[in-house]
Amino acid sequence: MRVTKHEHACIRLDSEGKTLLIDPGTFTLPLEDLTDLVGVVLTHEHPDHWTPKQLDQILADAPGTPIMGPAGLAAAASDYDISIVAPGETVDVGPFRLEFFGGTHSVIHESIPVIDNVGVLVNDAFYYPGDSYAVPEGRDVALLAAPVGAPWLKIGDAMDYVLAVGPRRAFGTHDMTLSRIGLDMHRDRLRWATEQNDGEFLVLEPGEATDV
């Protein structure tokens, strides 16, 4: 399975000639070559993870593609046909088996309501938590997309999260809120955390990919 990092929080997965998208949002450039798209996962309702403009373009290129997300996302995107998924559920789309974890977004501030969020484990190998520190308990994560910058993120908490998951490999995502200096610094912190469990940290820029 090929895992491609796009801008900010968007991930593309390709396997057996089919494609799965996760969280194409407002900071993500228009996506191309989606004729073999079999599913879109939206982890939560914030616009840096989905926008009507992105979904409209995706559905124009790949009509009828299933879109999955938690109940809060379905309510926010009520103009679209959203299949509601929840922690503990498993869904198969094409060659991708999706298992969902978590349930809530990390707290930004006590004045801001906490919303629904799901993390997703794909093919028992690649894990992306959305905007949360949800650990896929009991799973051996081969590749983790670890949040590296966000209004809700303190780098020490992000380091502890990588230590808790213990992935064999990891890369940073959710990064458009950081300057280049800040991004490099936070990546170095997550590299340290990954290496504590003998893992390898990858530096992936938008459009770059790795296999898992």
Side-chain angles (χ1 to χ4, degrees):
M1 181 170 63
R2 191 144 184 88
V3 179
T4 302
K5 181 196 183 313
H6 288 279
E7 293 82 10
H8 195 54
C10 182
I11 307 292
R12 173 178 175 145
L13 298 100
D14 291 282
S15 180
E16 300 178 20
K18 303 299 181 183
T19 300
L20 176 75
L21 285 180
I22 302 174
D23 282 359
T26 189
F27 299 136
T28 305
L29 294 177
L31 298 156
E32 300 177 345
D33 190 21
L34 299 179
T35 55
D36 292 312
L37 186 65
V38 295
V40 178
V41 175
L42 304 177
T43 62
H44 64 283
E45 64 197 74
H46 287 157
D48 57 329
H49 293 255
W50 87 279
T51 65
K53 181 177 179 181
Q54 284 280 18
L55 277 192
D56 288 345
Q57 183 59 61
I58 289 166
L59 293 173
D61 293 340
T65 299
I67 303 168
M68 294 152 278
L73 177 279
S78 58
D79 290 340
Y80 300 89
D81 183 11
I82 308 291
S83 295
I84 295 175
V85 292
E89 295 184 352
T90 300
V91 177
D92 292 312
V93 285
F96 304 102
R97 168 153 287 195
L98 315 177
E99 187 175 1
F100 296 95
F101 294 85
T104 57
H105 192 288
S106 286
V107 174
I108 300 172
H109 186 263
E110 63 183 10
S111 66
I112 300 173
V114 175
I115 62 171
D116 293 339
N117 178 94
V118 290
V120 59
L121 179 68
V122 183
N123 289 351
D124 293 318
F126 170 74
Y127 184 64
Y128 173 63
D131 282 9
S132 80
Y133 295 128
V135 174
E137 298 288 354
R139 303 301 191 275
D140 180 17
V141 176
L143 180 64
L144 171 68
V148 71
W152 47 270
L153 184 148
K154 183 176 79 174
I155 194 60
D157 293 339
M159 293 164 70
D160 285 340
Y161 177 66
V162 173
L163 289 170
V165 176
R168 282 177 270 161
R169 293 190 298 156
F171 65 91
T173 188
H174 208 282
D175 50 16
M176 290 290 280
T177 60
L178 297 175
S179 68
R180 172 51 61 174
I181 292 172
L183 176 58
D184 290 343
M185 182 176 66
H186 284 202
R187 281 172 169 171
D188 283 344
R189 299 297 188 189
L190 296 193
R191 176 180 290 106
W192 176 89
T194 306
E195 291 174 350
Q196 299 317 294
N197 288 303
D198 297 322
E200 177 188 9
F201 187 82
L202 308 176
V203 173
L204 296 183
E205 301 294 345
E208 294 182 343
T210 188
D211 294 319
V212 63

